[in-house]
Amino acid sequence: MQSSRREEPRDQAGEAADEAAEELRRRLAAEAGDIEAMSVLGAMLLRRGDLDGAEPHLRAATAAGDRAAANNLGVLLHQRGYADEAAGWWRIAAVAGSTAAAHALGRHHRERGDEPAAEYWLRQSAEQGHALGAYALADLLEHRGDTDGAERWMRAAAERGHREAAYRLARSLDRRAARVSDGDAVRVLEEAEQWYRQAAARGHRRAALHLGAILEKRGELKEAGRWYLTSAKDGEARAACALGFLLRDAGDTENAAVWWLRAAQDGDGNAANALGALHAERGETQTAERWYRAAMDAGDINGAYNLGLLCADQGRTGPAEQWYRRAAYAGHREAANALAILLLRAGDETGAEPWFSKAAEAGSVDAAFNLGILHAGRSEDDAALRWYERAAAAGHTEAALQVGMARLRDGEEGEAERFLRCAAGGGSAEAAYRLATVLDARRPPEPAHELGEPVNRRSECEEWYERAASQGHRRAQVRVGMLAAARGDVVEAARWYREAAEAGSRNGAFNLGLLLAREGSEPEAVLWWTRAADAGHGRAALRLALVCARRGELAEGQRWADRAAALGPAAVTERATRLRDALREELSA
C-alpha cells in the first residue's frame, strides 16, 4: 500500500534558499548575456536595497532596450537623489510603453510643479490600466477641482484594487450623500459602504473604522465591533475609542476601559474623556481629573467642560467657573450654558445672560429654554415665548409645555394642543394632563347605555390622564379615579384616589373618603377627610362637621364647621355657617 506524504508548510529558511537559488540562476544567465536575466536580477537586487549591485545589471539591460530595466534604473537613480537623470530613463521606458514608468514620470513632473506634463504622463499610465497611475491622476484632478474627472479615475483605481482609492472614493460618496435627497442618499451610502468594505478587506484601517460606524448606526453591532477591532489592532485610535463605547453599551466596562486606555495613550481626546467619566462614576476624582486634562492636552475642549462638571459636583465653584470659562471661550456651547447657570445661582444675572445667549445661538437647546425662564422671571412674556418656541422646535419637552400653556392662555387651542402633544410625547406628565383637559373639554356627552351594558371603552383624553397619572401627577390621578368611579369601577377609582392622597393630594383624600363612606367604611373615610381638611379642603371640613353633628360631638362639629366656613368655597361657606349656628344654638340650649 502506497503511503501518502503530508505537505508541510515551508519555513522562512526554505524560502530564502529558493530565492538564493533563483538569484544564482539569474546571475549565471546574465553573465552569459541574457538580457531578461540582467533586468530581473537588477530588479531583485534593487528590491533588496543593493543599489550598487543592481545598477550595472540594469544599465546593461537598458542599453539592450529592456523597458522594465529602464524604469527600474530610473527608480534606482531617484533613490540615489538623481531625479533629473531618473526622469530621463523613465521617459525612455514610458515612450516604449511602460505604464509604471509613465506613472513615475508623471509623479516627477508633479513634484516639479509642471502639472500639464504630469497630467499627460499620468493619463498615459491610467489609460493603459495602471492602478497607481489612475490614482495619481485622480489625486491631481481633485487638487484642481475637477471632481467628475477625479471620481472617474479614483473609481478606476479602486476597481483595479487600489485600497486608498477605494477609501477616498467612499469618503467622497459619503460626503455627497449629505447633499442629495433622501432617496438618492440611500443609494449613494450603499455604494460608499461597498468601497469602504473593499478597502477595509485590503487592510485599510480608516476604511475599517468608517465601515464599523456605518454598521453600528444600522444596529449591526456584532459586525461593527469586528471592524472596529480590526482597525484598532492596526493602530487606529478612533476605532479603539469606538470599540470601547460599543463594549460599554454592552455592559462590559472593564474591556471598554482597556480600549479607551489604548486610544487615549495614542492621543485620542474622546477616549481620555471616556476614561475620565468612568473614574468619576467610581468616585476616583483624581484619576478622572488626570484623564480630563489628558483630553485637553489632546485638543479636546470637552476635557475642560468635564473638569468643570467634576469641580461643580464637588462644590468647588471657583475652579468649576474657571474650567467652564475656558471651554466656553473655545466655543463649547454646553459649557457656556453651565457657566451661565453657575453665575445665575451666584446672583449674577447680568453676567449670566450673555453666556445663555451665546450658548443658545450656538445651538444649545437647554440655553434657549433657560433664556425663556430668565425673561419669564422678568415678566418679559414675549421674549420668553420666543426662546421657548426656539427650544421647543428643537425638541425640548418643557419648552413645548410652556408654549402650549401660553397658547392656551391666548385662546389658541389648536396650537396649544400641538405643543402639548409634543411635550406629552416627550414624557412631560404636566403636558399629558393639560392635553387631557383640552380633549376632555371638547368631548361630547357619553351616550346612554342599555341596562347591564359594560362600558369599557376609554377615550383619548382618559388615556392621556392615565399616562400622566402613571407618572405620579396627582391631579391626573384624581381625574382618572373620577372617570373610573363614573364607570362604576370602584376598585380602580379607590386605587387612583389613594395614590393621589398618599402623595399629598387633598382632593384625592376627599374623594377617597367619599368612596369609602359610600362603601360603609366611615371610620376610614373620616381619616382621609381629616387629612384633606388639615390641608385646606373646605368640603372635607364640612363633611367632618356633619359626621360630628350626627355622632353628637357638637363642640368638635362646631370647630370643623368654623374651619369649613373659613376655607370655602362660597357654597360650602354658606352651608357650614348654617350648620355652625345650629350647633352653637344646640350647645347653648
Side-chain angles (χ1 to χ4, degrees), residues 390-430:
R390 185 164 175 173
H396 195 288
T397 298
E398 290 303 310
L401 169 62
Q402 294 300 322
V403 177
M405 291 168 62
R407 294 285 183 259
L408 277 179
R409 287 193 296 270
D410 293 341
E412 301 173 21
E413 190 177 288
E415 276 293 287
E417 181 182 342
R418 181 168 71 87
F419 282 100
L420 290 173
R421 282 187 184 277
C422 290
S428 169
E430 181 66 23

mmCIF file of all heavy atoms in Angstrom, residues 390-430:
data_model
loop_
_atom_site.group_PDB
_atom_site.id
_atom_site.type_symbol
_atom_site.label_atom_id
_atom_site.label_comp_id
_atom_site.label_asym_id
_atom_site.label_seq_id
_atom_site.Cartn_x
_atom_site.Cartn_y
_atom_site.Cartn_z
ATOM 1 N N ARG A 390 -38.228 78.475 20.336
ATOM 2 C CA ARG A 390 -36.988 78.022 19.702
ATOM 3 C C ARG A 390 -36.540 76.688 20.305
ATOM 4 O O ARG A 390 -36.141 75.771 19.592
ATOM 5 C CB ARG A 390 -35.905 79.086 19.890
ATOM 6 C CG ARG A 390 -34.606 78.774 19.179
ATOM 7 C CD ARG A 390 -33.778 80.029 19.091
ATOM 8 N NE ARG A 390 -32.469 79.800 18.531
ATOM 9 C CZ ARG A 390 -31.604 80.738 18.221
ATOM 10 N NH1 ARG A 390 -31.939 82.008 18.416
ATOM 11 N NH2 ARG A 390 -30.432 80.463 17.721
ATOM 12 N N ALA A 391 -36.597 76.585 21.623
ATOM 13 C CA ALA A 391 -36.211 75.337 22.276
ATOM 14 C C ALA A 391 -37.187 74.223 21.941
ATOM 15 O O ALA A 391 -36.784 73.073 21.711
ATOM 16 C CB ALA A 391 -36.130 75.539 23.785
ATOM 17 N N ALA A 392 -38.474 74.561 21.895
ATOM 18 C CA ALA A 392 -39.493 73.551 21.584
ATOM 19 C C ALA A 392 -39.312 73.003 20.176
ATOM 20 O O ALA A 392 -39.472 71.802 19.932
ATOM 21 C CB ALA A 392 -40.891 74.146 21.740
ATOM 22 N N ALA A 393 -38.942 73.883 19.237
ATOM 23 C CA ALA A 393 -38.731 73.452 17.853
ATOM 24 C C ALA A 393 -37.582 72.450 17.753
ATOM 25 O O ALA A 393 -37.537 71.636 16.830
ATOM 26 C CB ALA A 393 -38.441 74.656 16.966
ATOM 27 N N ALA A 394 -36.649 72.514 18.719
ATOM 28 C CA ALA A 394 -35.512 71.587 18.741
ATOM 29 C C ALA A 394 -35.810 70.357 19.596
ATOM 30 O O ALA A 394 -34.924 69.549 19.837
ATOM 31 C CB ALA A 394 -34.265 72.286 19.260
ATOM 32 N N GLY A 395 -37.060 70.245 20.079
ATOM 33 C CA GLY A 395 -37.457 69.037 20.800
ATOM 34 C C GLY A 395 -37.402 69.112 22.311
ATOM 35 O O GLY A 395 -37.480 68.085 22.975
ATOM 36 N N HIS A 396 -37.265 70.323 22.872
ATOM 37 C CA HIS A 396 -37.191 70.449 24.335
ATOM 38 C C HIS A 396 -38.593 70.292 24.931
ATOM 39 O O HIS A 396 -39.491 71.091 24.668
ATOM 40 C CB HIS A 396 -36.601 71.813 24.710
ATOM 41 C CG HIS A 396 -36.151 71.902 26.130
ATOM 42 N ND1 HIS A 396 -37.039 71.967 27.174
ATOM 43 C CD2 HIS A 396 -34.897 71.930 26.678
ATOM 44 C CE1 HIS A 396 -36.362 72.056 28.314
ATOM 45 N NE2 HIS A 396 -35.054 72.021 28.036
ATOM 46 N N THR A 397 -38.780 69.273 25.739
ATOM 47 C CA THR A 397 -40.101 68.913 26.261
ATOM 48 C C THR A 397 -40.717 70.010 27.113
ATOM 49 O O THR A 397 -41.873 70.405 26.909
ATOM 50 C CB THR A 397 -39.997 67.609 27.073
ATOM 51 O OG1 THR A 397 -39.567 66.560 26.199
ATOM 52 C CG2 THR A 397 -41.331 67.228 27.673
ATOM 53 N N GLU A 398 -39.960 70.500 28.085
ATOM 54 C CA GLU A 398 -40.506 71.510 28.992
ATOM 55 C C GLU A 398 -40.790 72.822 28.262
ATOM 56 O O GLU A 398 -41.735 73.542 28.607
ATOM 57 C CB GLU A 398 -39.552 71.748 30.156
ATOM 58 C CG GLU A 398 -39.484 70.583 31.125
ATOM 59 C CD GLU A 398 -40.860 70.232 31.691
ATOM 60 O OE1 GLU A 398 -41.563 71.150 32.159
ATOM 61 O OE2 GLU A 398 -41.229 69.051 31.654
ATOM 62 N N ALA A 399 -39.980 73.140 27.249
ATOM 63 C CA ALA A 399 -40.240 74.347 26.461
ATOM 64 C C ALA A 399 -41.550 74.198 25.692
ATOM 65 O O ALA A 399 -42.353 75.136 25.609
ATOM 66 C CB ALA A 399 -39.087 74.605 25.493
ATOM 67 N N ALA A 400 -41.781 73.013 25.129
ATOM 68 C CA ALA A 400 -43.037 72.765 24.412
ATOM 69 C C ALA A 400 -44.223 72.909 25.361
ATOM 70 O O ALA A 400 -45.280 73.442 24.981
ATOM 71 C CB ALA A 400 -43.013 71.371 23.785
ATOM 72 N N LEU A 401 -44.066 72.460 26.601
ATOM 73 C CA LEU A 401 -45.135 72.621 27.593
ATOM 74 C C LEU A 401 -45.421 74.098 27.841
ATOM 75 O O LEU A 401 -46.581 74.523 27.870
ATOM 76 C CB LEU A 401 -44.727 71.933 28.898
ATOM 77 C CG LEU A 401 -45.601 72.231 30.118
ATOM 78 C CD1 LEU A 401 -47.030 71.747 29.890
ATOM 79 C CD2 LEU A 401 -45.006 71.595 31.370
ATOM 80 N N GLN A 402 -44.366 74.899 28.009
ATOM 81 C CA GLN A 402 -44.545 76.329 28.258
ATOM 82 C C GLN A 402 -45.237 77.019 27.096
ATOM 83 O O GLN A 402 -46.107 77.874 27.291
ATOM 84 C CB GLN A 402 -43.188 76.992 28.541
ATOM 85 C CG GLN A 402 -42.515 76.530 29.815
ATOM 86 C CD GLN A 402 -43.360 76.798 31.052
ATOM 87 O OE1 GLN A 402 -44.027 77.836 31.152
ATOM 88 N NE2 GLN A 402 -43.350 75.855 31.977
ATOM 89 N N VAL A 403 -44.862 76.641 25.861
ATOM 90 C CA VAL A 403 -45.514 77.236 24.686
ATOM 91 C C VAL A 403 -46.974 76.814 24.640
ATOM 92 O O VAL A 403 -47.872 77.634 24.373
ATOM 93 C CB VAL A 403 -44.791 76.826 23.389
ATOM 94 C CG1 VAL A 403 -45.536 77.387 22.172
ATOM 95 C CG2 VAL A 403 -43.350 77.335 23.391
ATOM 96 N N GLY A 404 -47.238 75.546 24.916
ATOM 97 C CA GLY A 404 -48.619 75.066 24.924
ATOM 98 C C GLY A 404 -49.474 75.808 25.931
ATOM 99 O O GLY A 404 -50.613 76.203 25.645
ATOM 100 N N MET A 405 -48.932 76.022 27.128
ATOM 101 C CA MET A 405 -49.685 76.749 28.160
ATOM 102 C C MET A 405 -49.919 78.200 27.758
ATOM 103 O O MET A 405 -50.995 78.764 28.005
ATOM 104 C CB MET A 405 -48.921 76.670 29.484
ATOM 105 C CG MET A 405 -48.913 75.269 30.084
ATOM 106 S SD MET A 405 -47.748 75.072 31.457
ATOM 107 C CE MET A 405 -48.388 76.240 32.638
ATOM 108 N N ALA A 406 -48.924 78.818 27.115
ATOM 109 C CA ALA A 406 -49.087 80.199 26.646
ATOM 110 C C ALA A 406 -50.184 80.275 25.589
ATOM 111 O O ALA A 406 -51.000 81.210 25.591
ATOM 112 C CB ALA A 406 -47.767 80.720 26.084
ATOM 113 N N ARG A 407 -50.203 79.295 24.702
ATOM 114 C CA ARG A 407 -51.240 79.279 23.654
ATOM 115 C C ARG A 407 -52.631 79.077 24.272
ATOM 116 O O ARG A 407 -53.624 79.646 23.805
ATOM 117 C CB ARG A 407 -50.941 78.163 22.651
ATOM 118 C CG ARG A 407 -49.665 78.389 21.836
ATOM 119 C CD ARG A 407 -49.891 79.454 20.777
ATOM 120 N NE ARG A 407 -48.726 79.641 19.952
ATOM 121 C CZ ARG A 407 -47.850 80.615 20.070
ATOM 122 N NH1 ARG A 407 -48.025 81.534 21.012
ATOM 123 N NH2 ARG A 407 -46.817 80.717 19.271
ATOM 124 N N LEU A 408 -52.694 78.260 25.310
ATOM 125 C CA LEU A 408 -53.988 78.084 25.994
ATOM 126 C C LEU A 408 -54.458 79.395 26.605
ATOM 127 O O LEU A 408 -55.643 79.745 26.516
ATOM 128 C CB LEU A 408 -53.852 77.026 27.092
ATOM 129 C CG LEU A 408 -53.956 75.555 26.689
ATOM 130 C CD1 LEU A 408 -53.770 74.661 27.907
ATOM 131 C CD2 LEU A 408 -55.298 75.261 26.024
ATOM 132 N N ARG A 409 -53.531 80.125 27.239
ATOM 133 C CA ARG A 409 -53.903 81.421 27.846
ATOM 134 C C ARG A 409 -54.400 82.404 26.785
ATOM 135 O O ARG A 409 -55.274 83.227 27.055
ATOM 136 C CB ARG A 409 -52.711 82.013 28.588
ATOM 137 C CG ARG A 409 -52.374 81.305 29.886
ATOM 138 C CD ARG A 409 -51.408 82.106 30.733
ATOM 139 N NE ARG A 409 -50.112 82.260 30.082
ATOM 140 C CZ ARG A 409 -49.091 81.416 30.209
ATOM 141 N NH1 ARG A 409 -49.229 80.333 30.974
ATOM 142 N NH2 ARG A 409 -47.944 81.634 29.610
ATOM 143 N N ASP A 410 -53.831 82.294 25.574
ATOM 144 C CA ASP A 410 -54.227 83.196 24.489
ATOM 145 C C ASP A 410 -55.455 82.702 23.738
ATOM 146 O O ASP A 410 -55.881 83.324 22.764
ATOM 147 C CB ASP A 410 -53.066 83.368 23.506
ATOM 148 C CG ASP A 410 -51.889 84.105 24.132
ATOM 149 O OD1 ASP A 410 -52.096 84.781 25.159
ATOM 150 O OD2 ASP A 410 -50.756 83.988 23.604
ATOM 151 N N GLY A 411 -56.001 81.542 24.150
ATOM 152 C CA GLY A 411 -57.190 81.005 23.496
ATOM 153 C C GLY A 411 -56.918 80.291 22.189
ATOM 154 O O GLY A 411 -57.858 79.973 21.449
ATOM 155 N N GLU A 412 -55.657 80.024 21.884
ATOM 156 C CA GLU A 412 -55.308 79.333 20.639
ATOM 157 C C GLU A 412 -55.250 77.833 20.910
ATOM 158 O O GLU A 412 -54.181 77.225 21.010
ATOM 159 C CB GLU A 412 -53.964 79.839 20.113
ATOM 160 C CG GLU A 412 -53.946 81.336 19.825
ATOM 161 C CD GLU A 412 -52.551 81.828 19.463
ATOM 162 O OE1 GLU A 412 -51.705 81.007 19.041
ATOM 163 O OE2 GLU A 412 -52.315 83.044 19.601
ATOM 164 N N GLU A 413 -56.422 77.227 21.018
ATOM 165 C CA GLU A 413 -56.497 75.839 21.468
ATOM 166 C C GLU A 413 -55.828 74.865 20.508
ATOM 167 O O GLU A 413 -55.176 73.900 20.929
ATOM 168 C CB GLU A 413 -57.960 75.442 21.681
ATOM 169 C CG GLU A 413 -58.128 74.115 22.378
ATOM 170 C CD GLU A 413 -59.584 73.789 22.650
ATOM 171 O OE1 GLU A 413 -60.179 74.433 23.535
ATOM 172 O OE2 GLU A 413 -60.108 72.892 21.959
ATOM 173 N N GLY A 414 -55.979 75.095 19.194
ATOM 174 C CA GLY A 414 -55.372 74.194 18.211
ATOM 175 C C GLY A 414 -53.860 74.163 18.322
ATOM 176 O O GLY A 414 -53.238 73.096 18.348
ATOM 177 N N GLU A 415 -53.246 75.366 18.375
ATOM 178 C CA GLU A 415 -51.793 75.450 18.522
ATOM 179 C C GLU A 415 -51.352 74.891 19.879
ATOM 180 O O GLU A 415 -50.316 74.227 19.976
ATOM 181 C CB GLU A 415 -51.339 76.905 18.402
ATOM 182 C CG GLU A 415 -51.157 77.378 16.980
ATOM 183 C CD GLU A 415 -49.994 76.649 16.305
ATOM 184 O OE1 GLU A 415 -48.832 76.934 16.622
ATOM 185 O OE2 GLU A 415 -50.260 75.771 15.469
ATOM 186 N N ALA A 416 -52.143 75.163 20.903
ATOM 187 C CA ALA A 416 -51.817 74.651 22.239
ATOM 188 C C ALA A 416 -51.768 73.131 22.220
ATOM 189 O O ALA A 416 -50.845 72.518 22.759
ATOM 190 C CB ALA A 416 -52.851 75.128 23.246
ATOM 191 N N GLU A 417 -52.774 72.541 21.583
ATOM 192 C CA GLU A 417 -52.823 71.070 21.512
ATOM 193 C C GLU A 417 -51.577 70.508 20.827
ATOM 194 O O GLU A 417 -51.001 69.515 21.274
ATOM 195 C CB GLU A 417 -54.081 70.621 20.773
ATOM 196 C CG GLU A 417 -54.198 69.105 20.691
ATOM 197 C CD GLU A 417 -55.429 68.657 19.915
ATOM 198 O OE1 GLU A 417 -56.364 69.464 19.741
ATOM 199 O OE2 GLU A 417 -55.432 67.490 19.474
ATOM 200 N N ARG A 418 -51.141 71.167 19.750
ATOM 201 C CA ARG A 418 -49.962 70.687 19.011
ATOM 202 C C ARG A 418 -48.724 70.660 19.913
ATOM 203 O O ARG A 418 -48.000 69.663 19.959
ATOM 204 C CB ARG A 418 -49.716 71.570 17.794
ATOM 205 C CG ARG A 418 -48.534 71.136 16.939
ATOM 206 C CD ARG A 418 -48.543 71.877 15.609
ATOM 207 N NE ARG A 418 -48.209 73.277 15.751
ATOM 208 C CZ ARG A 418 -46.951 73.737 15.744
ATOM 209 N NH1 ARG A 418 -45.925 72.905 15.644
ATOM 210 N NH2 ARG A 418 -46.711 75.037 15.860
ATOM 211 N N PHE A 419 -48.501 71.724 20.647
ATOM 212 C CA PHE A 419 -47.317 71.781 21.516
ATOM 213 C C PHE A 419 -47.453 70.856 22.718
ATOM 214 O O PHE A 419 -46.480 70.237 23.155
ATOM 215 C CB PHE A 419 -47.059 73.218 21.968
ATOM 216 C CG PHE A 419 -46.393 74.063 20.910
ATOM 217 C CD1 PHE A 419 -47.134 74.935 20.126
ATOM 218 C CD2 PHE A 419 -45.028 73.966 20.685
ATOM 219 C CE1 PHE A 419 -46.518 75.701 19.145
ATOM 220 C CE2 PHE A 419 -44.402 74.723 19.705
ATOM 221 C CZ PHE A 419 -45.150 75.599 18.932
ATOM 222 N N LEU A 420 -48.679 70.766 23.247
ATOM 223 C CA LEU A 420 -48.879 69.877 24.387
ATOM 224 C C LEU A 420 -48.670 68.422 23.993
ATOM 225 O O LEU A 420 -48.137 67.621 24.775
ATOM 226 C CB LEU A 420 -50.284 70.073 24.975
ATOM 227 C CG LEU A 420 -50.512 71.404 25.688
ATOM 228 C CD1 LEU A 420 -51.972 71.549 26.083
ATOM 229 C CD2 LEU A 420 -49.617 71.538 26.916
ATOM 230 N N ARG A 421 -49.064 68.075 22.777
ATOM 231 C CA ARG A 421 -48.826 66.703 22.300
ATOM 232 C C ARG A 421 -47.322 66.420 22.201
ATOM 233 O O ARG A 421 -46.868 65.321 22.551
ATOM 234 C CB ARG A 421 -49.485 66.479 20.942
ATOM 235 C CG ARG A 421 -50.980 66.256 21.010
ATOM 236 C CD ARG A 421 -51.573 65.857 19.666
ATOM 237 N NE ARG A 421 -53.017 65.744 19.740
ATOM 238 C CZ ARG A 421 -53.660 64.667 20.185
ATOM 239 N NH1 ARG A 421 -52.965 63.615 20.580
ATOM 240 N NH2 ARG A 421 -54.972 64.629 20.221
ATOM 241 N N CYS A 422 -46.570 67.395 21.710
ATOM 242 C CA CYS A 422 -45.110 67.223 21.620
ATOM 243 C C CYS A 422 -44.510 67.009 23.008
ATOM 244 O O CYS A 422 -43.692 66.103 23.219
ATOM 245 C CB CYS A 422 -44.468 68.445 20.970
ATOM 246 S SG CYS A 422 -44.823 68.607 19.214
ATOM 247 N N ALA A 423 -44.927 67.841 23.957
ATOM 248 C CA ALA A 423 -44.379 67.745 25.302
ATOM 249 C C ALA A 423 -44.814 66.453 25.993
ATOM 250 O O ALA A 423 -44.013 65.792 26.662
ATOM 251 C CB ALA A 423 -44.806 68.954 26.127
ATOM 252 N N ALA A 424 -46.082 66.110 25.815
ATOM 253 C CA ALA A 424 -46.585 64.877 26.437
ATOM 254 C C ALA A 424 -45.895 63.656 25.843
ATOM 255 O O ALA A 424 -45.520 62.724 26.559
ATOM 256 C CB ALA A 424 -48.098 64.785 26.248
ATOM 257 N N GLY A 425 -45.708 63.689 24.533
ATOM 258 C CA GLY A 425 -44.998 62.585 23.878
ATOM 259 C C GLY A 425 -43.562 62.487 24.329
ATOM 260 O O GLY A 425 -42.959 61.407 24.301
ATOM 261 N N GLY A 426 -42.991 63.630 24.757
ATOM 262 C CA GLY A 426 -41.616 63.648 25.258
ATOM 263 C C GLY A 426 -41.494 63.236 26.715
ATOM 264 O O GLY A 426 -40.399 63.220 27.262
ATOM 265 N N GLY A 427 -42.646 62.932 27.354
ATOM 266 C CA GLY A 427 -42.596 62.424 28.720
ATOM 267 C C GLY A 427 -43.031 63.381 29.799
ATOM 268 O O GLY A 427 -42.899 63.071 30.987
ATOM 269 N N SER A 428 -43.567 64.552 29.433
ATOM 270 C CA SER A 428 -43.999 65.514 30.449
ATOM 271 C C SER A 428 -45.364 65.114 30.998
ATOM 272 O O SER A 428 -46.362 65.093 30.274
ATOM 273 C CB SER A 428 -44.079 66.923 29.853
ATOM 274 O OG SER A 428 -44.738 67.803 30.748
ATOM 275 N N ALA A 429 -45.419 64.827 32.292
ATOM 276 C CA ALA A 429 -46.686 64.456 32.920
ATOM 277 C C ALA A 429 -47.649 65.637 32.931
ATOM 278 O O ALA A 429 -48.851 65.479 32.702
ATOM 279 C CB ALA A 429 -46.427 63.967 34.346
ATOM 280 N N GLU A 430 -47.119 66.846 33.192
ATOM 281 C CA GLU A 430 -47.970 68.035 33.216
ATOM 282 C C GLU A 430 -48.594 68.279 31.849
ATOM 283 O O GLU A 430 -49.778 68.636 31.737
ATOM 284 C CB GLU A 430 -47.154 69.254 33.655
ATOM 285 C CG GLU A 430 -47.946 70.549 33.749
ATOM 286 C CD GLU A 430 -49.005 70.532 34.848
ATOM 287 O OE1 GLU A 430 -48.859 69.733 35.807
ATOM 288 O OE2 GLU A 430 -49.972 71.302 34.736
#
